[in-house]
Amino acid sequence: MRQFLTDIQFEALLSLYSQRDFPEPTREAVRLRIINGHTYELAEFITGVSRRNIYRGVLKLKKAHEVLSQVYGERR
């Protein structure tokens, strides 16, 4: 997976979500997927979070990043 967020951007986006929306294990699993480039399977094995929840978390952050980038006029 191509890394679409830097570590700082990742942390900033996560700060917008509550612990209920993004529990700590899910945050770690999504971090492993986006920042470290692990596969969904490996992130699931390490954290115990299902691949489905990891995938949904990645999609949620990707969509938020796209919206914020458009709104603030960031070039891709």
Side-chain angles (χ1 to χ4, degrees):
M1 169 179 222
R2 188 178 141 259
Q3 184 177 348
F4 64 93
L5 293 172
T6 65
D7 197 33
I8 294 170
Q9 291 171 326
F10 179 80
E11 293 299 329
L13 281 176
L14 277 182
S15 73
L16 301 175
Y17 294 97
S18 69
Q19 287 290 327
R20 184 175 181 195
D21 289 333
F22 257 102
E24 196 55 43
T26 304
R27 291 172 187 253
E28 183 57 30
V30 172
R31 179 180 289 108
L32 288 172
R33 178 67 183 138
I34 294 174
I35 302 300
N36 298 81
H38 290 14
T39 62
Y40 287 102
E41 291 81 9
L42 185 55
E44 176 184 36
F45 179 76
I46 293 170
T47 62
V49 176
S50 72
R51 282 177 270 180
R52 183 178 182 181
N53 285 344
I54 298 169
Y55 178 75
R56 286 180 177 172
V58 169
L59 284 182
K60 189 182 286 190
L61 290 181
K62 192 174 219 176
K63 179 66 176 169
H65 177 67
E66 289 170 0
V67 169
L68 289 174
S69 293
Q70 285 180 342
V71 169
Y72 289 109
E74 181 178 292
R75 300 272 185 216
R76 292 185 190 186

mmCIF file with all atom_site columns, all heavy atoms in Angstrom, residues 58-73:
data_model
loop_
_atom_site.group_PDB
_atom_site.id
_atom_site.type_symbol
_atom_site.label_atom_id
_atom_site.label_alt_id
_atom_site.label_comp_id
_atom_site.label_asym_id
_atom_site.label_entity_id
_atom_site.label_seq_id
_atom_site.pdbx_PDB_ins_code
_atom_site.Cartn_x
_atom_site.Cartn_y
_atom_site.Cartn_z
_atom_site.occupancy
_atom_site.B_iso_or_equiv
_atom_site.pdbx_formal_charge
_atom_site.auth_seq_id
_atom_site.auth_comp_id
_atom_site.auth_asym_id
_atom_site.auth_atom_id
_atom_site.pdbx_PDB_model_num
ATOM 1   N N   . VAL A 1 58 ? -8.984  2.362  7.714  1.00 0.00 ? 58 VAL A N   1
ATOM 2   C CA  . VAL A 1 58 ? -8.159  2.946  6.657  1.00 0.00 ? 58 VAL A CA  1
ATOM 3   C C   . VAL A 1 58 ? -9.033  3.786  5.725  1.00 0.00 ? 58 VAL A C   1
ATOM 4   O O   . VAL A 1 58 ? -8.675  4.920  5.376  1.00 0.00 ? 58 VAL A O   1
ATOM 5   C CB  . VAL A 1 58 ? -7.405  1.850  5.864  1.00 0.00 ? 58 VAL A CB  1
ATOM 6   C CG1 . VAL A 1 58 ? -6.769  2.426  4.611  1.00 0.00 ? 58 VAL A CG1 1
ATOM 7   C CG2 . VAL A 1 58 ? -6.354  1.188  6.738  1.00 0.00 ? 58 VAL A CG2 1
ATOM 8   N N   . LEU A 1 59 ? -10.185 3.251  5.338  1.00 0.00 ? 59 LEU A N   1
ATOM 9   C CA  . LEU A 1 59 ? -11.093 3.998  4.458  1.00 0.00 ? 59 LEU A CA  1
ATOM 10  C C   . LEU A 1 59 ? -11.573 5.293  5.108  1.00 0.00 ? 59 LEU A C   1
ATOM 11  O O   . LEU A 1 59 ? -11.658 6.336  4.453  1.00 0.00 ? 59 LEU A O   1
ATOM 12  C CB  . LEU A 1 59 ? -12.299 3.145  4.077  1.00 0.00 ? 59 LEU A CB  1
ATOM 13  C CG  . LEU A 1 59 ? -12.076 2.068  3.028  1.00 0.00 ? 59 LEU A CG  1
ATOM 14  C CD1 . LEU A 1 59 ? -13.397 1.355  2.730  1.00 0.00 ? 59 LEU A CD1 1
ATOM 15  C CD2 . LEU A 1 59 ? -11.493 2.632  1.763  1.00 0.00 ? 59 LEU A CD2 1
ATOM 16  N N   . LYS A 1 60 ? -11.890 5.224  6.386  1.00 0.00 ? 60 LYS A N   1
ATOM 17  C CA  . LYS A 1 60 ? -12.366 6.401  7.116  1.00 0.00 ? 60 LYS A CA  1
ATOM 18  C C   . LYS A 1 60 ? -11.297 7.499  7.121  1.00 0.00 ? 60 LYS A C   1
ATOM 19  O O   . LYS A 1 60 ? -11.595 8.672  6.857  1.00 0.00 ? 60 LYS A O   1
ATOM 20  C CB  . LYS A 1 60 ? -12.722 6.015  8.553  1.00 0.00 ? 60 LYS A CB  1
ATOM 21  C CG  . LYS A 1 60 ? -13.420 7.109  9.330  1.00 0.00 ? 60 LYS A CG  1
ATOM 22  C CD  . LYS A 1 60 ? -13.703 6.690  10.755 1.00 0.00 ? 60 LYS A CD  1
ATOM 23  C CE  . LYS A 1 60 ? -14.842 5.705  10.822 1.00 0.00 ? 60 LYS A CE  1
ATOM 24  N NZ  . LYS A 1 60 ? -15.290 5.472  12.211 1.00 0.00 ? 60 LYS A NZ  1
ATOM 25  N N   . LEU A 1 61 ? -10.050 7.126  7.386  1.00 0.00 ? 61 LEU A N   1
ATOM 26  C CA  . LEU A 1 61 ? -8.972  8.117  7.403  1.00 0.00 ? 61 LEU A CA  1
ATOM 27  C C   . LEU A 1 61 ? -8.653  8.627  6.001  1.00 0.00 ? 61 LEU A C   1
ATOM 28  O O   . LEU A 1 61 ? -8.367  9.814  5.818  1.00 0.00 ? 61 LEU A O   1
ATOM 29  C CB  . LEU A 1 61 ? -7.719  7.537  8.051  1.00 0.00 ? 61 LEU A CB  1
ATOM 30  C CG  . LEU A 1 61 ? -7.802  7.288  9.552  1.00 0.00 ? 61 LEU A CG  1
ATOM 31  C CD1 . LEU A 1 61 ? -6.483  6.741  10.072 1.00 0.00 ? 61 LEU A CD1 1
ATOM 32  C CD2 . LEU A 1 61 ? -8.178  8.557  10.307 1.00 0.00 ? 61 LEU A CD2 1
ATOM 33  N N   . LYS A 1 62 ? -8.720  7.740  5.018  1.00 0.00 ? 62 LYS A N   1
ATOM 34  C CA  . LYS A 1 62 ? -8.445  8.144  3.640  1.00 0.00 ? 62 LYS A CA  1
ATOM 35  C C   . LYS A 1 62 ? -9.480  9.166  3.174  1.00 0.00 ? 62 LYS A C   1
ATOM 36  O O   . LYS A 1 62 ? -9.136  10.184 2.565  1.00 0.00 ? 62 LYS A O   1
ATOM 37  C CB  . LYS A 1 62 ? -8.453  6.916  2.726  1.00 0.00 ? 62 LYS A CB  1
ATOM 38  C CG  . LYS A 1 62 ? -7.917  7.166  1.358  1.00 0.00 ? 62 LYS A CG  1
ATOM 39  C CD  . LYS A 1 62 ? -7.833  5.851  0.592  1.00 0.00 ? 62 LYS A CD  1
ATOM 40  C CE  . LYS A 1 62 ? -6.575  5.845  -0.231 1.00 0.00 ? 62 LYS A CE  1
ATOM 41  N NZ  . LYS A 1 62 ? -6.355  4.601  -0.914 1.00 0.00 ? 62 LYS A NZ  1
ATOM 42  N N   . LYS A 1 63 ? -10.744 8.906  3.478  1.00 0.00 ? 63 LYS A N   1
ATOM 43  C CA  . LYS A 1 63 ? -11.818 9.827  3.093  1.00 0.00 ? 63 LYS A CA  1
ATOM 44  C C   . LYS A 1 63 ? -11.655 11.171 3.805  1.00 0.00 ? 63 LYS A C   1
ATOM 45  O O   . LYS A 1 63 ? -11.767 12.231 3.179  1.00 0.00 ? 63 LYS A O   1
ATOM 46  C CB  . LYS A 1 63 ? -13.181 9.201  3.431  1.00 0.00 ? 63 LYS A CB  1
ATOM 47  C CG  . LYS A 1 63 ? -14.355 10.080 3.099  1.00 0.00 ? 63 LYS A CG  1
ATOM 48  C CD  . LYS A 1 63 ? -14.493 10.301 1.614  1.00 0.00 ? 63 LYS A CD  1
ATOM 49  C CE  . LYS A 1 63 ? -15.744 11.110 1.329  1.00 0.00 ? 63 LYS A CE  1
ATOM 50  N NZ  . LYS A 1 63 ? -15.803 11.570 -0.035 1.00 0.00 ? 63 LYS A NZ  1
ATOM 51  N N   . ALA A 1 64 ? -11.357 11.141 5.097  1.00 0.00 ? 64 ALA A N   1
ATOM 52  C CA  . ALA A 1 64 ? -11.154 12.385 5.853  1.00 0.00 ? 64 ALA A CA  1
ATOM 53  C C   . ALA A 1 64 ? -9.978  13.173 5.282  1.00 0.00 ? 64 ALA A C   1
ATOM 54  O O   . ALA A 1 64 ? -10.047 14.401 5.135  1.00 0.00 ? 64 ALA A O   1
ATOM 55  C CB  . ALA A 1 64 ? -10.917 12.071 7.325  1.00 0.00 ? 64 ALA A CB  1
ATOM 56  N N   . HIS A 1 65 ? -8.911  12.487 4.933  1.00 0.00 ? 65 HIS A N   1
ATOM 57  C CA  . HIS A 1 65 ? -7.739  13.142 4.356  1.00 0.00 ? 65 HIS A CA  1
ATOM 58  C C   . HIS A 1 65 ? -8.082  13.797 3.017  1.00 0.00 ? 65 HIS A C   1
ATOM 59  O O   . HIS A 1 65 ? -7.686  14.936 2.751  1.00 0.00 ? 65 HIS A O   1
ATOM 60  C CB  . HIS A 1 65 ? -6.603  12.127 4.185  1.00 0.00 ? 65 HIS A CB  1
ATOM 61  C CG  . HIS A 1 65 ? -5.384  12.684 3.549  1.00 0.00 ? 65 HIS A CG  1
ATOM 62  N ND1 . HIS A 1 65 ? -4.599  13.626 4.166  1.00 0.00 ? 65 HIS A ND1 1
ATOM 63  C CD2 . HIS A 1 65 ? -4.806  12.429 2.353  1.00 0.00 ? 65 HIS A CD2 1
ATOM 64  C CE1 . HIS A 1 65 ? -3.579  13.940 3.371  1.00 0.00 ? 65 HIS A CE1 1
ATOM 65  N NE2 . HIS A 1 65 ? -3.703  13.226 2.265  1.00 0.00 ? 65 HIS A NE2 1
ATOM 66  N N   . GLU A 1 66 ? -8.832  13.092 2.176  1.00 0.00 ? 66 GLU A N   1
ATOM 67  C CA  . GLU A 1 66 ? -9.228  13.637 0.875  1.00 0.00 ? 66 GLU A CA  1
ATOM 68  C C   . GLU A 1 66 ? -10.092 14.878 1.033  1.00 0.00 ? 66 GLU A C   1
ATOM 69  O O   . GLU A 1 66 ? -9.890  15.881 0.348  1.00 0.00 ? 66 GLU A O   1
ATOM 70  C CB  . GLU A 1 66 ? -9.967  12.583 0.057  1.00 0.00 ? 66 GLU A CB  1
ATOM 71  C CG  . GLU A 1 66 ? -9.072  11.468 -0.438 1.00 0.00 ? 66 GLU A CG  1
ATOM 72  C CD  . GLU A 1 66 ? -9.840  10.308 -1.050 1.00 0.00 ? 66 GLU A CD  1
ATOM 73  O OE1 . GLU A 1 66 ? -11.094 10.357 -1.102 1.00 0.00 ? 66 GLU A OE1 1
ATOM 74  O OE2 . GLU A 1 66 ? -9.185  9.346  -1.483 1.00 0.00 ? 66 GLU A OE2 1
ATOM 75  N N   . VAL A 1 67 ? -11.050 14.827 1.950  1.00 0.00 ? 67 VAL A N   1
ATOM 76  C CA  . VAL A 1 67 ? -11.938 15.972 2.174  1.00 0.00 ? 67 VAL A CA  1
ATOM 77  C C   . VAL A 1 67 ? -11.146 17.173 2.680  1.00 0.00 ? 67 VAL A C   1
ATOM 78  O O   . VAL A 1 67 ? -11.279 18.282 2.154  1.00 0.00 ? 67 VAL A O   1
ATOM 79  C CB  . VAL A 1 67 ? -13.069 15.608 3.170  1.00 0.00 ? 67 VAL A CB  1
ATOM 80  C CG1 . VAL A 1 67 ? -13.820 16.843 3.622  1.00 0.00 ? 67 VAL A CG1 1
ATOM 81  C CG2 . VAL A 1 67 ? -14.017 14.604 2.537  1.00 0.00 ? 67 VAL A CG2 1
ATOM 82  N N   . LEU A 1 68 ? -10.304 16.957 3.680  1.00 0.00 ? 68 LEU A N   1
ATOM 83  C CA  . LEU A 1 68 ? -9.513  18.059 4.226  1.00 0.00 ? 68 LEU A CA  1
ATOM 84  C C   . LEU A 1 68 ? -8.539  18.616 3.194  1.00 0.00 ? 68 LEU A C   1
ATOM 85  O O   . LEU A 1 68 ? -8.335  19.829 3.116  1.00 0.00 ? 68 LEU A O   1
ATOM 86  C CB  . LEU A 1 68 ? -8.765  17.614 5.472  1.00 0.00 ? 68 LEU A CB  1
ATOM 87  C CG  . LEU A 1 68 ? -9.636  17.373 6.704  1.00 0.00 ? 68 LEU A CG  1
ATOM 88  C CD1 . LEU A 1 68 ? -8.806  16.794 7.838  1.00 0.00 ? 68 LEU A CD1 1
ATOM 89  C CD2 . LEU A 1 68 ? -10.306 18.663 7.139  1.00 0.00 ? 68 LEU A CD2 1
ATOM 90  N N   . SER A 1 69 ? -7.963  17.756 2.391  1.00 0.00 ? 69 SER A N   1
ATOM 91  C CA  . SER A 1 69 ? -7.028  18.213 1.358  1.00 0.00 ? 69 SER A CA  1
ATOM 92  C C   . SER A 1 69 ? -7.743  19.088 0.335  1.00 0.00 ? 69 SER A C   1
ATOM 93  O O   . SER A 1 69 ? -7.214  20.119 -0.089 1.00 0.00 ? 69 SER A O   1
ATOM 94  C CB  . SER A 1 69 ? -6.387  17.017 0.648  1.00 0.00 ? 69 SER A CB  1
ATOM 95  O OG  . SER A 1 69 ? -5.557  16.315 1.522  1.00 0.00 ? 69 SER A OG  1
ATOM 96  N N   . GLN A 1 70 ? -8.945  18.691 -0.056 1.00 0.00 ? 70 GLN A N   1
ATOM 97  C CA  . GLN A 1 70 ? -9.717  19.494 -1.015 1.00 0.00 ? 70 GLN A CA  1
ATOM 98  C C   . GLN A 1 70 ? -10.123 20.826 -0.400 1.00 0.00 ? 70 GLN A C   1
ATOM 99  O O   . GLN A 1 70 ? -10.014 21.864 -1.047 1.00 0.00 ? 70 GLN A O   1
ATOM 100 C CB  . GLN A 1 70 ? -10.953 18.736 -1.471 1.00 0.00 ? 70 GLN A CB  1
ATOM 101 C CG  . GLN A 1 70 ? -10.655 17.632 -2.441 1.00 0.00 ? 70 GLN A CG  1
ATOM 102 C CD  . GLN A 1 70 ? -11.920 16.898 -2.873 1.00 0.00 ? 70 GLN A CD  1
ATOM 103 O OE1 . GLN A 1 70 ? -12.954 16.985 -2.233 1.00 0.00 ? 70 GLN A OE1 1
ATOM 104 N NE2 . GLN A 1 70 ? -11.814 16.154 -3.963 1.00 0.00 ? 70 GLN A NE2 1
ATOM 105 N N   . VAL A 1 71 ? -10.586 20.785 0.814  1.00 0.00 ? 71 VAL A N   1
ATOM 106 C CA  . VAL A 1 71 ? -11.068 21.994 1.466  1.00 0.00 ? 71 VAL A CA  1
ATOM 107 C C   . VAL A 1 71 ? -9.936  23.014 1.670  1.00 0.00 ? 71 VAL A C   1
ATOM 108 O O   . VAL A 1 71 ? -10.109 24.200 1.450  1.00 0.00 ? 71 VAL A O   1
ATOM 109 C CB  . VAL A 1 71 ? -11.735 21.667 2.823  1.00 0.00 ? 71 VAL A CB  1
ATOM 110 C CG1 . VAL A 1 71 ? -12.003 22.916 3.627  1.00 0.00 ? 71 VAL A CG1 1
ATOM 111 C CG2 . VAL A 1 71 ? -13.026 20.906 2.583  1.00 0.00 ? 71 VAL A CG2 1
ATOM 112 N N   . TYR A 1 72 ? -8.777  22.521 2.050  1.00 0.00 ? 72 TYR A N   1
ATOM 113 C CA  . TYR A 1 72 ? -7.654  23.408 2.315  1.00 0.00 ? 72 TYR A CA  1
ATOM 114 C C   . TYR A 1 72 ? -6.759  23.616 1.098  1.00 0.00 ? 72 TYR A C   1
ATOM 115 O O   . TYR A 1 72 ? -5.733  24.285 1.194  1.00 0.00 ? 72 TYR A O   1
ATOM 116 C CB  . TYR A 1 72 ? -6.841  22.903 3.514  1.00 0.00 ? 72 TYR A CB  1
ATOM 117 C CG  . TYR A 1 72 ? -7.573  23.085 4.809  1.00 0.00 ? 72 TYR A CG  1
ATOM 118 C CD1 . TYR A 1 72 ? -8.086  21.994 5.496  1.00 0.00 ? 72 TYR A CD1 1
ATOM 119 C CD2 . TYR A 1 72 ? -7.798  24.353 5.329  1.00 0.00 ? 72 TYR A CD2 1
ATOM 120 C CE1 . TYR A 1 72 ? -8.787  22.170 6.677  1.00 0.00 ? 72 TYR A CE1 1
ATOM 121 C CE2 . TYR A 1 72 ? -8.502  24.527 6.502  1.00 0.00 ? 72 TYR A CE2 1
ATOM 122 C CZ  . TYR A 1 72 ? -8.986  23.429 7.177  1.00 0.00 ? 72 TYR A CZ  1
ATOM 123 O OH  . TYR A 1 72 ? -9.681  23.593 8.342  1.00 0.00 ? 72 TYR A OH  1
ATOM 124 N N   . GLY A 1 73 ? -7.121  23.052 -0.052 1.00 0.00 ? 73 GLY A N   1
ATOM 125 C CA  . GLY A 1 73 ? -6.441  23.319 -1.293 1.00 0.00 ? 73 GLY A CA  1
ATOM 126 C C   . GLY A 1 73 ? -5.060  22.707 -1.442 1.00 0.00 ? 73 GLY A C   1
ATOM 127 O O   . GLY A 1 73 ? -4.254  23.224 -2.205 1.00 0.00 ? 73 GLY A O   1
#
